[in-house]
């Protein structure tokens, strides 16, 4: 006799999502695929939207913000080129879904969110799935978090008009920053710090919420 458990259904839908929407679109990093198979996306969204957890799309999470499309999370994580010794800075914790993926792969993660309630909620969800290597900061992502710099990877999940210098200065040698940049038409770029220079590469067009200027930033 088999007993139906909603979690089993979610697990098989997650497997399907990884096969179809992530590996199926060319993400090959084994660590990223494993993390995507593990993290229960339904835990990061309002209960009423749980059935949409493995849809191939972003989903609203309140405060005018969204949980990113799984493929975009996987693709941006792959671009970070992480291993078990990496340190990562994430700007825009939001619901914490991408934070969870990063935390499972990297050695340590610092994640900054300007809305305290989102940061606190994300911290609780990550604790509930056993994540312990992540520092949650409520503050202005434009400034980064110099106390724990340099970072092997910096990933932005909100779009600034251009790549903030303060963030570039917190990149380790050979580190990579992954960011959506621009106002209406955003471009996803990677910026690598290589022998003291910054090399920018265009990846694809994307659509993220704008990165809100901090008090000292021009609006
Ligand atoms: N990473 C999330 C998506 C985050 S949406 C996921 O995995 O689904 C982008 C987040 O960036 C929002 O929560 C928004 O509040 C936050 N944000 C916008 N501007 C910011 C800033 N200047 N500093 C820190 N966080 C910011």
């Amino acid at each position: 006799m088999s007993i139906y458990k909603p979690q089993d259904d979610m697990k098989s839908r997650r497997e399907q999502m990884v096969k179809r929407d992530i590996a199926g679109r060319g993400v090959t990093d084994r660590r990223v695929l494993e993390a995507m198979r593990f993290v229960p996306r339904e835990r990061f969204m309002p209960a009423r939207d749980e059935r949409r957890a493995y849809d191939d799309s972003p989903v609203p999470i309140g405060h005018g913000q969204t949980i990113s499309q799984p493929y975009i999370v996987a693709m941006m994580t792959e671009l970070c080129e992480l291993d078990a010794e990496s340190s990562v800075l994430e700007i825009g914790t939001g619901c914490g879904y991408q934070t969870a993926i990063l935390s499972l792969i990297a050695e340590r993660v610092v994640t900054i969110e300007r809305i305290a309630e989102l940061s606190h909620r994300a911290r609780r969800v990550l604790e509930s799935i056993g994540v312990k290597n992540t520092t949650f900061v409520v503050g202005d992502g434009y400034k980064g978090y110099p106390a724990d710099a340099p970072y092997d990877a910096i990933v932005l999940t909100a779009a600034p008009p251009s790549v903030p210098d303060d963030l570039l200065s917190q990149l380790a040698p050979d580190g990579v920053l992954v960011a959506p940049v621009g106002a209406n038409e955003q471009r996803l770029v990677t910026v690598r710090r290589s022998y003291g220079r910054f090399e920018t590469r265009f990846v694809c067009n994307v659509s993220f919420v704008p990165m809100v200027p901090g008090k000292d930033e021009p609006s």
Side-chain angles (χ1 to χ4, degrees):
M1 191 180 82
S2 77
I3 299 172
Y4 172 76
K5 293 199 214 98
Q7 309 87 288
D8 293 345
D9 181 39
M10 288 296 186
K11 192 164 186 298
S12 70
R13 288 173 57 192
R14 191 154 66 238
E15 289 284 342
Q16 259 188 330
M17 170 197 77
V18 171
K19 211 168 146 194
R20 183 192 57 209
D21 302 330
I22 300 186
R25 286 204 186 108
V27 172
T28 56
D29 187 323
R30 181 181 51 77
R31 299 178 178 98
V32 175
L33 296 174
E34 256 170 48
M36 298 293 297
R37 277 192 200 101
F38 179 80
V39 176
R41 190 168 183 252
E42 65 276 13
R43 298 273 282 276
F44 295 83
M45 48 193 13
R48 64 170 188 280
D49 289 325
E50 272 189 7
R51 67 192 160 74
R52 297 180 60 190
Y54 298 104
D55 286 3
D56 185 22
S57 64
V59 178
I61 54 162
H63 296 278
Q65 311 302 332
T66 55
I67 176 169
S68 301
Q69 180 191 19
Y71 167 66
I72 292 285
V73 171
M75 190 256 283
M76 288 174 69
T77 306
E78 182 169 64
L79 289 169
C80 290
E81 299 176 9
L82 304 177
D83 61 31
E85 284 159 17
S86 307
S87 66
V88 187
L89 174 66
E90 179 192 38
I91 310 297
T93 315
C95 63
Y97 178 61
Q98 175 135 26
T99 321
I101 303 290
L102 298 168
S103 304
L104 289 176
I105 303 173
E107 183 173 10
R108 60 188 183 89
V109 177
V110 175
T111 183
I112 307 180
E113 169 57 55
R114 56 183 283 276
I115 301 174
E117 194 185 325
L118 289 180
S119 174
H120 297 158
R121 202 193 296 157
R123 191 180 60 211
R124 284 197 296 275
V125 178
L126 264 76
E127 278 169 5
S128 78
I129 61 169
V131 167
K132 294 197 172 76
N133 60 348
T134 298
T135 305
F136 291 82
V137 177
V138 176
D140 177 15
Y142 279 95
K143 297 197 167 56
Y145 193 69
D148 280 2
Y151 301 96
D152 301 306
I154 300 180
V155 57
L156 283 68
T157 67
S162 61
V163 177
D165 285 343
D166 281 349
L167 297 183
L168 290 178
S169 71
Q170 293 173 35
L171 261 187
D174 209 34
V176 64
L177 175 146
V178 180
V181 174
N184 298 329
E185 303 218 329
Q186 297 165 8
R187 299 151 52 84
L188 185 71
V189 299
T190 60
V191 185
R192 183 176 296 282
R193 181 173 214 154
S194 177
Y195 298 102
R197 296 181 32 211
F198 294 105
E199 289 167 6
T200 303
R201 191 168 71 85
F202 168 76
V203 181
C204 61
N205 293 316
V206 284
S207 175
F208 277 81
V209 298
M211 192 163 155
V212 175
K215 288 195 183 69
D216 308 335
E217 298 300 321
S219 51

